[in-house]
Amino acid sequence: MTKKWGIRALILFGMYALAMYFYIFHSESGGIPAAFKGTVADPSVFMSERELYLSEEYSKIRNYLFFVATPFEWLVYLFILTTGLSQAFERWITLQKKWVIFQNAIYVFLLSLITFIALFPLNYYRYYLSKYYEISTQSFNSWMRDNVIEFWVNFLIAVVIVTVLYWLININTKKWWLNAWLLMIPFSIFLMFIKPVVIDPLYNDFYPLTNKELETEILSLAKQANIPTEHVYEVNMAEKTNALNAYVTGIGSNARIVLWDTTLNRLSENEILFIMAHEMGHYVEKHIYFGIAGYLITMLVGLWLTAKLMPWVIAHFGGILKIQRINAVHSLPLFLLFSSFLLFASSPLSNYISRYQETRADLYAMELVADPDAAVSTFQELTKAGLSEVNPPILVKWFRYSHPPMLERINKVANEIGKEE
């Protein structure tokens, strides 16, 4: 029976992967509408023939990998369950009950290790692609170092979450989801608070912006926006990527405005000021706090659905999945599978909300700096640096794009230039 279900899962995955291949590589979706051809939003106007070719090729491969990688992760969890590996991991740990946190730590380590190994080829291929298309400048050693850091950071966080989660399930198998959600609220806010000063510096060096004249200009914009900040931070990303970025991170006293040094090296002062005004727009419109609220609502719904679905699945397929009961830690891969599936299924909605917020931040930036030309050239440079697809197919936009496609963003600011003229 287990073998039959495994073959069915592989066949279903193969059919899905084939369908996505034809959709991404051979459908007529995407492209540049006739109304935009020859305008500043048309990539053929601001990109070379080689850049256009590489952008199309790179985007298609990345999109296909995205749609295949998540279902492949589900297969990995199913494999760990149906082969009895998860149950075996728990059996191998023979510590007394009072050492439950160490039992969980060993189990989470074994589970994390096997999933890391199973997903490593896909992750390495992504890295290889970014190097091949000259997006990444990162050495393999540096890339592996980041992966190892991420492994241990995620491991430590997972041990805490898993220990508390299964403690709650053991206390109350009916209402554990609500108690887990209530505890996750302060825990999530705590992680957001410490991320800029504890977690992010593990990967990169952050320091106050070295260009003091530019910092003065940025802080002047911040003052106009009533943003209480004394420093703009620069991060050394040139040794890892050619892409451009800037962002606002953290909450409360640990909130930071951060500029990648690649952005500083490639963009003009007016373009940088537009990007900074965009990030300030997120602050002014409270998008960080809306994001936290949205995350908590999503988590509440996800935990409730998981609490309803897991007992049903265990009751009907527990023998195939080698799960004896929900409150045993060997059921964790099923919990992770549900979490991954629900996040994937909800991504069109979360991305839609994010794209709306990004559009609002763009409008705020245009109002604050009043330089549509700088906005157009900024988006053009971002497109070239990341070999971005300016008008992706609809499924790609729904599931992948947390920002509006560049065709929409450039067209919107170009219309502002038309109004001024």
Side-chain angles (χ1 to χ4, degrees), residues 64-218:
Y64 183 67
L65 284 176
F66 168 82
F67 280 104
V68 169
T70 303
F72 179 74
E73 182 185 344
W74 305 341
L75 279 183
V76 171
Y77 291 138
L78 283 174
F79 174 82
I80 292 169
L81 288 168
T82 56
T83 57
L85 269 176
S86 183
Q87 208 173 52
F89 290 162
E90 188 176 21
R91 267 200 318 267
W92 294 342
I93 306 163
T94 56
L95 298 175
Q96 296 179 7
K97 276 194 173 182
K98 64 179 180 179
W99 302 107
V100 64
I101 191 167
F102 294 104
Q103 289 179 317
N104 291 336
I106 296 170
Y107 176 88
V108 169
F109 174 78
L110 293 172
L111 181 63
S112 300
L113 184 62
I114 196 169
T115 52
F116 178 86
I117 293 170
L119 298 175
F120 183 82
L122 271 176
N123 292 330
Y124 175 76
Y125 186 58
R126 286 195 186 101
Y127 163 72
Y128 165 80
L129 279 175
S130 64
K131 287 283 285 187
Y132 181 81
Y133 286 95
E134 298 180 351
I135 303 298
S136 174
T137 59
Q138 191 172 18
S139 68
F140 176 78
N141 289 341
S142 173
W143 178 76
M144 275 302 302
R145 176 182 174 275
D146 284 352
N147 274 271
V148 171
I149 291 171
E150 184 178 28
F151 176 91
W152 287 110
V153 169
N154 290 340
F155 166 74
L156 292 173
I157 294 172
V159 169
V160 175
I161 292 174
V162 168
T163 300
V164 174
L165 178 66
Y166 280 89
W167 171 66
L168 292 173
I169 294 175
N170 275 288
I171 289 174
N172 189 334
T173 56
K174 299 293 185 183
K175 297 292 184 182
W176 65 264
W177 59 273
L178 181 59
N179 295 326
W181 180 73
L182 291 171
L183 286 176
M184 282 300 293
I185 294 174
F187 184 69
S188 299
I189 294 173
F190 171 73
L191 286 179
M192 291 177 187
F193 182 77
I194 68 167
K195 185 177 182 290
V197 293
V198 176
I199 298 176
D200 289 349
L202 296 174
Y203 298 91
N204 298 100
D205 296 325
F206 293 79
Y207 38 85
L209 189 61
T210 52
N211 185 335
K212 295 305 175 185
E213 291 182 6
L214 179 59
E215 184 179 46
T216 300
E217 291 285 337
I218 294 171

Side-chain angles (χ1 to χ4, degrees), residues 353-382:
I353 295 170
S354 177
R355 288 195 300 272
Y356 171 77
Q357 291 178 338
E358 294 297 333
T359 299
R360 293 287 302 173
D362 284 347
L363 293 172
Y364 180 85
M366 284 188 283
E367 182 180 333
L368 187 61
V369 300
D371 192 348
D373 289 312
V376 168
S377 58
T378 298
F379 291 144
Q380 290 175 340
E381 287 298 326
L382 287 170

Side-chain angles (χ1 to χ4, degrees), residues 11 44 49 78 82 117 214 309 325 421:
I11 291 173
S44 63
E49 286 188 17
L78 283 174
T82 56
I117 293 170
L214 179 59
L309 292 171
R325 59 193 191 280
E421 293 174 349

Side-chain angles (χ1 to χ4, degrees), residues 25-63:
F25 287 94
H26 297 289
S27 73
E28 297 299 321
S29 55
I32 307 300
F36 292 95
K37 288 186 177 179
T39 69
V40 290
D42 183 352
S44 63
V45 170
F46 59 87
M47 296 175 76
S48 67
E49 286 188 17
R50 181 175 182 273
E51 287 172 331
L52 287 170
Y53 173 77
L54 293 177
S55 171
E56 182 179 359
E57 189 176 65
Y58 182 51
S59 295
K60 286 181 176 180
I61 297 172
R62 280 200 312 162
N63 293 336

